Amino acid sequence: MRILILSAVFLIIGFYSSLNDNNNNEVLIKDHQKSEIKQSLSQIPENKANKPSTENPTEGMALLIGHNLIDLEKELGKPQRIDESMYGYQWYIYNLDPTRYVQVGVENNRVVTVFAMGDNLDIAPFEIGQPVEEIFNTQYIDANINIDLNGNSYRFELNDTDLNIRPIVQLGNVYVQLYIDKFTGNLSSVRFMDAETLIKQRPYELTYHGQLIEPPILSEAMSKSVEVGTELEIFDLTNVLRTRNDLEPLKWDENTAKVAFGHSKDMAENDDFSHTSKKFGSLSDRLKSAKVVYQTAGENIAANYTDGPAVVEGWLNSKGHRDSLLNKDFSHLGVGVYQKYYTQDFIRK
């Protein structure tokens, strides 16, 4: 169904039931007061584009999709590190300059996805910081994405929240997921993907006819590598957002990271999504047990997100979590990821 008018407002909810301002963000200032939660509503503009683009991108980072590793390193150089993912590709991480931060997914020597958050990157036909009005006025954005691949048919259906804060645009054989910062009304980051990667990630409701493309089954050792890489990506992306907002970057704190990992693991093993563990108590209890000395502390938690970039963008669009990400008083951060449970613990030393 073609979207003619998107009149839904930006809702102050997360992407899934895992994000809720009332119970998934906690700030401790010794008296354990929680930050005030407010709503911010914005109107989505009218979509004036007539049809999806059938032409592949001709410029920008989208051109990397489908190219080989030699082309990637010729364009961007050697990455600062390589992280594993749960989808069969490796993330090549370019994080030296927060304004040029990018993750490039490489599978079988071929680029299959690019996630770009740096402000000074060529992501044509888009631009980080671009007003949402321009995007909806110039791009065809539909509630349904249909893909025919290798004799199989796939149909993604976007709900109102998807359309408001993470719509998808098709540019020929490249699919572009747009992460909209609903509090500023601007483009926060983009993810370019080929069809197979989109189907493996399944970021929207999916129906299909034929064979479903599944992510690989990971060994225990590989799962641990994915978790470690995701922790580092969340740390990097948090500092990209802080730099964008003229805040001091956070420093990594290993003991706090152990507390965060323990909480993610506890939530996963006990199917208990909460800041307060039945066994280990509140954030202040857990920090005290780990002998972490702090003046102020805060925590973000999430579950069931696609990966690190998706969860950070989810936190950014949730008032309480955003307040923690962009809190000028925090100085250090520890991140813990276990399976698809994510915890950020912030402290001020």
Side-chain angles (χ1 to χ4, degrees), residues 21 26 48 61 83-84 102 110 122 128 161 179 181 222-223 230 238 246 259 271 277 282 295 304 333:
D21 278 331
E26 185 173 67
K48 296 180 181 178
M61 305 209 72
D83 296 342
E84 299 294 340
V102 62
R110 189 175 66 88
D122 183 358
I128 299 298
T161 301
Y179 290 101
D181 182 340
M222 181 61 75
S223 294
T230 304
T238 298
D246 300 320
V259 172
D271 192 25
S277 166
S282 66
Q295 298 180 46
N304 300 322
L333 173 64

Side-chain angles (χ1 to χ4, degrees), residues 253-261 287 292 333-335 345-347:
D253 188 82
E254 187 60 32
N255 288 335
T256 304
K258 290 178 181 178
V259 172
F261 176 80
L287 291 171
V292 175
L333 173 64
V335 183
D345 284 338
F346 303 85
I347 62 171

Side-chain angles (χ1 to χ4, degrees), residues 256-275:
T256 304
K258 290 178 181 178
V259 172
F261 176 80
H263 191 57
S264 290
K265 185 176 182 181
D266 179 57
M267 289 191 294
E269 291 180 342
N270 293 286
D271 192 25
D272 183 20
F273 188 74
S274 172
H275 284 289

